[in-house]
Amino acid sequence: MKTDVEEEEKKQKSFRQVRRTWVPIIKNMLSTAADIVGDWVFYLRVVKGGYGPDLEPWLLSFSVISSFLGGLTVLSLIMNHWSVCLNIHNIHKTRFQNVVHVALLSEMFIEDIPQFVLTWLAYDRRMDGLGPYAVFNITTSGFNFVFNGLDLLMPLEEEHYEEVANEELAEEELAGEAATVAVIN
């Protein structure tokens, strides 16, 4: 009976590890891809609608920057993931994590914030408010900005496992103290 329980716990731990590893990567890839699509769709809409001929080169530049930084972000996330999967516990893992952080920060401040400003400038000239393309661009850039910021605040794998180990140790000590008190009584 105990082996069934141990086997179930092992499966749950394995599933948690897969979830902890893959969900953030998939979330980042999807938000980055949506941001890139939003930037290009908005650029094409501005070009087609003629809302800001003077803004077109800027929008094109930031759409290209968005594509480049998005690709760099995805590549660095994949590199970081494989360093975790291969159990690389040395300086290379730290370098991968630093690359991920730089890519996320770059994407946030070099691409997302200027896209907010350019979107506002282009549609400020329309006089009838923000259109659906502008809302889509602002939304995808906003989600990407927030998700990247949250990922930068997420604890590293080692920090997480240290916290879990400390919690388990504290629980064992409490159980031991409770058993001692029960024996004394």
Side-chain angles (χ1 to χ4, degrees), residues 124-171:
D124 187 42
R125 297 174 182 186
R126 275 190 50 179
M127 302 296 181
D128 61 344
L130 294 175
Y133 297 100
V135 171
F136 179 66
N137 191 32
I138 289 172
T139 303
T140 57
S141 291
F143 275 117
N144 197 42
F145 185 87
V146 170
F147 288 158
N148 287 347
L150 290 174
D151 283 337
L152 289 171
L153 298 174
M154 193 161 113
L156 300 174
E157 292 290 322
E158 294 85 16
E159 293 171 358
H160 170 73
Y161 290 120
E162 286 175 11
E163 289 174 15
V164 169
N166 289 339
E167 289 173 6
E168 288 175 356
L169 184 61
E171 288 175 9

Side-chain angles (χ1 to χ4, degrees), residues 7 20 37 42-43 49 53 72 77 79 88-89 98 102 121 127 139 144 153 157 159 161 179:
E7 187 67 30
R20 187 165 176 72
V37 168
F42 181 69
Y43 166 72
L72 178 64
L77 287 168
M79 287 173 29
I88 299 173
H89 294 293
N98 288 340
V102 168
L121 288 173
M127 302 296 181
T139 303
N144 197 42
L153 298 174
E157 292 290 322
E159 293 171 358
Y161 290 120

Side-chain angles (χ1 to χ4, degrees), residues 82-97 157-158 161:
W82 287 115
S83 74
V84 171
C85 286
L86 298 174
N87 286 329
I88 299 173
H89 294 293
N90 56 21
I91 189 100
H92 299 296
K93 184 174 179 179
T94 304
R95 287 183 184 157
F96 287 146
Q97 290 168 343
E157 292 290 322
E158 294 85 16
Y161 290 120

Side-chain angles (χ1 to χ4, degrees), residues 34-72:
D35 187 30
I36 292 168
V37 168
D39 295 343
W40 281 104
V41 166
F42 181 69
Y43 166 72
L44 294 173
R45 179 64 180 157
V46 168
V47 168
K48 183 179 177 183
Y51 300 124
D54 56 328
L55 294 176
E56 287 177 19
W58 289 102
L59 287 169
L60 176 62
S61 298
F62 281 103
S63 293
V64 170
I65 289 170
S66 171
S67 299
F68 175 74
L69 290 176
L72 178 64

Side-chain angles (χ1 to χ4, degrees), residues 82 101 108:
W82 287 115
H101 287 248
M108 289 170 64

